[in-house]
Amino acid sequence: MEHIVQFAINIDDKAIQNRIEEHAYRDVLDKLAKEATDTVFAHTNAYSRENMWKTLMEDALQSFLEERKDEIIDKAAHMLADRFQRTKKYREAMGTAIEKDGE
């Protein structure tokens, strides 16, 4: 017994091209990062490499925090003030203070 089956394949060339370009870009970046890492840590073992990464990350984080400490403190203060203003105790205390001062 014979059966005739028809089917169609729709290939989105543009989507395939975009996906290949994205992955190629990521692959190149990953390869460059690996080569740079291997070059920097060429004469180290795994243990010392881990310690060096930790030191580099701590230095980078410290530098980041130092550069942006005023912004971080300001943002944290605004977030904290916003949280306090939403509490019942804050509203009660403000109501009492307003009644006391008459403002």
Side-chain angles (χ1 to χ4, degrees):
M1 175 184 291
E2 290 183 22
H3 296 283
I4 298 175
V5 178
Q6 293 182 342
F7 62 94
I9 298 174
N10 183 15
I11 299 175
D12 186 358
D13 292 337
K14 190 66 175 171
I16 292 171
Q17 180 182 354
N18 288 342
R19 209 171 283 140
I20 289 171
E21 288 174 358
E22 288 172 13
H23 288 290
Y25 180 74
R26 188 77 223 154
D27 289 343
V28 168
L29 286 179
D30 290 344
K31 185 173 181 175
L32 288 173
K34 184 180 180 332
E35 287 177 8
T37 302
D38 290 344
T39 302
V40 169
F41 299 119
H43 303 290
T44 62
N45 59 30
Y47 178 75
S48 62
R49 183 180 287 202
E50 184 176 319
N51 285 337
M52 290 174 81
W53 268 122
K54 183 178 178 186
T55 302
L56 288 172
M57 291 303 294
E58 287 173 351
D59 292 347
L61 181 59
Q62 188 64 36
S63 173
F64 175 83
L65 292 174
E66 284 295 321
E67 290 173 7
R68 293 171 179 82
K69 70 180 175 185
D70 293 335
E71 295 172 44
I72 293 168
I73 292 170
D74 196 38
K75 181 72 173 171
H78 286 303
M79 290 172 66
L80 188 59
D82 187 46
R83 278 219 173 134
F84 278 130
Q85 290 172 357
R86 293 180 186 192
T87 64
K88 184 177 178 181
K89 282 193 170 225
Y90 175 84
R91 288 192 303 268
E92 289 173 353
M94 286 303 293
T96 304
I98 290 171
E99 288 175 8
K100 183 178 176 182
D101 291 338
E103 292 180 14

